[in-house]
Amino acid sequence: MPTLNLVLVEPQIPQNTGNIARTCAATGARLHLVGPMGFTIDDKKLKRAGLDYWHLLDITYYENTEDFFRRNAGGEFFYFTTKGRRIHSEVAFPHNAYLVFGREDAGLPEPLLFDHPDRCVRLPMITQARSLNLSNTVAVAAYEALRQWGYPELSSAGQLTKYKWEDKQLG
């Protein structure tokens, strides 16, 4: 099965990281947390945002970006940034891709972006807006990659709690 890798570089807001952890848990994506972070991993706000999904997570921690890139050498990285010139839905994400996101207040380092212009990806938005919320951006990006892959091993049909869909005619 293909693996989606969601990478947060120096996240600063625990609620965002908790929301992203929940997205990872619900989609089977791996979460990579690259330090230094603006909070401790046992932060109550982080745990509250992730709710009771922590047991479903595959998390790897890194001291810094050098540690991350060293331990994941050979990976295919896509850098999500408001400075990107490629639209997320126009990029073909390969299996086992790493979708990399920067700090809420500063984004990814510009030297990293400058060195990889073809891998800098953005979500379209009006020019007057600075950016989307990090956890929203990660969710949109993750689901675009998963859509391209046919939503591997994800359930695409839900069930009602008091009724059976089979009892209802569609159309």
Side-chain angles (χ1 to χ4, degrees), residues 159-165 167:
Q159 293 295 324
L160 298 172
T161 57
K162 297 181 181 178
Y163 301 91
K164 293 184 180 183
W165 285 120
D167 297 339

Side-chain angles (χ1 to χ4, degrees), residues 2-156:
T3 300
L4 180 59
N5 296 281
L6 301 178
V7 183
L8 304 184
V9 176
E10 299 181 12
Q12 300 298 300
I13 301 173
Q15 296 92 328
N16 279 338
T17 301
N19 288 336
I20 294 164
R22 186 171 180 172
T23 296
C24 288
T27 62
R30 293 181 60 213
L31 178 58
H32 301 263
L33 295 178
V34 181
M37 296 186 289
F39 53 88
T40 60
I41 201 64
D42 61 354
D43 189 297
K44 288 180 184 178
K45 293 174 185 170
L46 173 73
K47 298 289 186 182
R48 187 176 309 125
L51 296 174
D52 58 349
Y53 290 85
W54 292 101
H55 68 286
L56 298 174
L57 289 173
D58 179 357
I59 304 178
T60 305
Y61 301 94
Y62 304 88
E63 185 177 331
N64 51 41
T65 53
E66 293 79 18
D67 182 32
F68 169 75
F69 286 114
R70 181 180 49 76
R71 290 168 55 187
N72 295 287
E76 293 204 52
F77 305 103
F78 295 87
Y79 306 101
F80 278 76
T81 172
T82 58
K83 299 165 182 79
R85 299 188 307 184
R86 296 181 72 196
I87 297 172
H88 74 289
S89 57
E90 296 174 346
V91 174
F93 297 106
H95 290 180
N96 306 317
Y98 289 81
L99 309 186
V100 184
F101 304 86
R103 293 171 57 128
E104 292 93 337
D105 61 347
L108 291 165
E110 285 202 1
L112 176 67
L113 302 176
F114 187 75
D115 288 344
H116 305 282
D118 59 324
R119 295 296 178 119
C120 293
V121 182
R122 75 175 271 125
L123 273 61
M125 65 188 85
I126 63 172
T127 57
Q128 299 86 347
R130 211 171 38 252
S131 66
L132 289 172
N133 175 276
L134 178 62
S135 63
N136 293 335
T137 301
V138 171
V140 169
Y143 271 91
E144 174 58 24
L146 293 166
R147 181 195 66 78
Q148 291 179 15
W149 301 347
Y151 302 107
E153 295 193 27
L154 298 182
S155 173
S156 58

